[in-house]
Amino acid sequence: MIYIHIPFCKQKCSYCNFHFSTSLNFKDEMLQAMKTEMMLRKDELQNKTLQSLYFGGGTPSILSVDEIHSLIDEALKYFSFDKDIEITLEANPDDLDQRFVKQLAGTPVNRLSIGTQSFFEEDLKLMNRAHSASEAESSIKRAQDFGFENLSIDLIYGSPTSNLEIWKENLNKTIELEVPHISSYALTVEPKTALENWISKGKVTSPKEEEQNREFYYLSDFLKDNGFEHYEVSNFAKPGFYSRHNSAYWKYKEYLGIGPSAHSYNGFDVRSWNIANNPQYIKKLAVKNLAKEEELLSQEDQFNEMIMIGLRTTWGVDLTSLKNKFSDKVMDHFQTEIKSKIEEGILIIEKDHLKIPEKHWFMADGIASDLFLV
């Protein structure tokens, strides 16, 4: 599968620390650099038949439909597409006007991930989102009108401008709109963001963990009552609408990341990442030099990643795969660490898979880190 990072946005959200630029001055050069990178790295993927192509960012919908289509065409030069390929475009509601969606419906893109975040104006203002509450709703309806059934929306909970009642209304609106996939995250205060600055100056109150905990479990119960499956800590889907792309990440499949700051993984022991600098990325690719660094993952790294990723999912950690991959010494450590947590009910074993019971999923990352090799 391939991930393409589009490093452009209209404006910076207050909570975001992803790599992007609000200047489109070198957009054409960036798109050419991405095509060059795809050509140079075409042999890194063992599987030449793509199950998934994902446009993330940044804001991929800031591109024109012709530009998006040209990147898809470039991928088709080097890879074949599975007949059921999932091609996802992350999009902001304010970009999904009638003209854009109509044109997009004529491309191979068959899944939209819409950065809704909230249906309430106060939340959107705090987050410095470019869209309004009305656009949040109308963009979803418009996408559906033009035939996009495979839709996902992002929602953020635990904002200082929100509360449990507002959160309930957000979720009711989502059900009313018949969206089949939801990715939902607690508002986090990342370093060097506007949100961190506002909180440090007392302009905004800090998110409260106990409130986020309450809203997370309401989210999970409510969506399950409405036919969703909670298949990863932050992801919910109606049957048949799991994200094929993200599920491949969580199952340790190989992937190729194109664009500045994009990461790649060979499915075994090598991870690489592109430099998070647009001018340097463009400059290197202009002379057909790769703009990446890579590392050989140690046994400790591989073990810790399998534990962290697996315990965030409904599938859990495959104990047979773990035993086959790691030494007796590693497995002895593992068995020692999980013993007390199993006795406490924080971990369970089902059909040779280690899992966290869903009632403890809000603390999944902390539970997983206790099992790490250091």
Side-chain angles (χ1 to χ4, degrees), residues 138-286:
S138 64
S139 64
I140 295 168
K141 292 178 177 177
R142 190 173 299 115
Q144 291 167 330
D145 288 343
F146 280 97
F148 287 99
E149 296 179 1
N150 196 354
L151 290 181
S152 178
I153 67 169
D154 291 346
L155 292 175
I156 290 179
Y157 60 89
S159 165
T161 50
S162 186
N163 56 44
L164 184 58
E165 292 309 309
I166 290 175
W167 183 231
K168 288 179 180 179
E169 289 187 48
N170 266 315
L171 294 176
N172 284 327
K173 176 62 70 176
T174 302
I175 297 302
E176 177 188 317
L177 290 169
E178 298 182 340
V179 176
H181 187 283
I182 297 164
S183 297
S184 191
Y185 308 93
L187 182 68
T188 54
V189 184
E190 301 291 350
K192 299 178 181 178
T193 59
L195 183 61
E196 182 194 47
N197 182 48
W198 296 339
I199 290 172
S200 69
K201 293 181 177 179
K203 295 180 178 179
V204 175
T205 58
S206 183
K208 296 179 174 59
E209 185 174 318
E210 61 273 20
E211 183 67 21
Q212 292 185 334
N213 186 313
R214 189 178 306 114
E215 292 181 8
F216 170 79
Y217 286 110
Y218 180 84
L219 162 75
S220 178
D221 291 342
F222 178 82
L223 290 183
K224 284 188 294 183
D225 287 344
N226 282 277
F228 284 79
E229 296 169 359
H230 193 177
Y231 71 108
E232 193 270 346
V233 169
S234 301
N235 285 271
F236 306 79
K238 290 287 184 71
F241 286 94
Y242 285 24
S243 167
R244 194 176 306 170
H245 190 86
N246 289 336
S247 294
Y249 287 153
W250 302 326
K251 294 179 179 179
Y252 326 114
K253 302 288 181 68
E254 64 170 352
Y255 55 90
L256 177 63
I258 300 296
S261 82
H263 284 60
S264 303
Y265 175 55
N266 72 348
F268 300 100
D269 57 359
V270 176
R271 187 175 306 287
S272 63
W273 57 94
N274 289 338
I275 54 175
N277 182 296
N278 289 5
Q280 287 185 32
Y281 174 85
I282 291 169
K283 185 177 180 180
K284 283 181 174 290
L285 270 302

Side-chain angles (χ1 to χ4, degrees), residues 79-107:
F79 302 93
S80 60
F81 286 2
D82 183 88
K83 63 182 177 63
D84 294 322
I85 188 172
E86 176 188 271
I87 303 182
T88 302
L89 181 81
E90 289 185 355
N92 278 352
D94 47 298
D95 292 326
L96 296 177
D97 59 30
Q98 183 162 342
R99 182 172 179 272
F100 184 91
V101 178
K102 182 178 181 180
Q103 289 181 347
L104 194 66
T107 74

Side-chain angles (χ1 to χ4, degrees), residues 52-64:
S52 169
L53 178 61
Y54 192 104
F55 291 89
T59 309
S61 57
I62 206 168
L63 300 180
S64 72

